[in-house]
Amino acid sequence: QVQLVESGGGLVQAGGSLRLSCAASGSIFRLYHGGWYRQAPGKLRELVARITTSGSTNYADSVKGRFFISRDNAKNTVYLQMNSLKPDDTAVYYCAATWDLDSSIPDYWGQGTQVTVPS
């Protein structure tokens, strides 16, 4: 069992930055691929960024060059550095842990943290 707790969300002006953190319980988190998803009002949840157990990363086209995902296995934590934020980035951001990289559905989810970028 993996429990995920996000932090770092908030309100930030357009062009600003935020860093989200996802703290996982248990040392087995290092065996899972980490990811950040987001869901805006009235929209489906979408993958923002993912980092594999070996550290490879991939990003949604909408955030490439602005968002950066990283992980610290010693701290059982995954981060999402968000720069040059736009109003379209407003959403609830969810941390996720996935065992099978080929699976489109994570095994564990955090509770979510709100990010708001006013227009």
Side-chain angles (χ1 to χ4, degrees), residues 3-115:
Q3 293 183 323
L4 305 173
V5 179
E6 302 100 333
S7 61
L11 187 148
V12 62
Q13 297 302 312
S17 298
L18 280 176
R19 189 176 81 155
L20 305 182
S21 298
C22 172
S25 63
S27 59
I28 62 171
F29 181 64
R30 73 185 188 283
L31 303 178
Y32 285 79
H33 309 293
W36 287 96
Y37 292 72
R38 67 186 180 187
Q39 188 166 17
K43 296 188 177 180
L44 296 175
R45 191 172 297 188
E46 63 175 354
L47 175 65
V48 175
R50 189 161 57 178
I51 184 165
T52 68
T53 55
S54 62
S56 297
T57 59
N58 66 283
Y59 298 90
D61 288 343
S62 59
V63 306
K64 280 181 181 177
R66 299 188 299 122
F67 290 13
F68 301 94
I69 189 171
S70 61
R71 68 189 299 163
D72 185 338
N73 288 335
K75 296 182 178 180
N76 293 328
T77 302
V78 174
Y79 304 96
L80 184 68
Q81 178 66 43
M82 305 186 295
N83 301 323
S84 302
L85 282 160
K86 306 175 181 179
D88 284 348
D89 296 319
T90 295
V92 178
Y93 284 71
Y94 297 90
C95 177
T98 305
W99 178 262
D100 182 353
L101 196 57
D102 291 330
S103 173
S104 61
I105 302 175
D107 299 280
Y108 300 99
W109 293 96
Q111 83 286 353
T113 186
Q114 177 71 46
V115 172

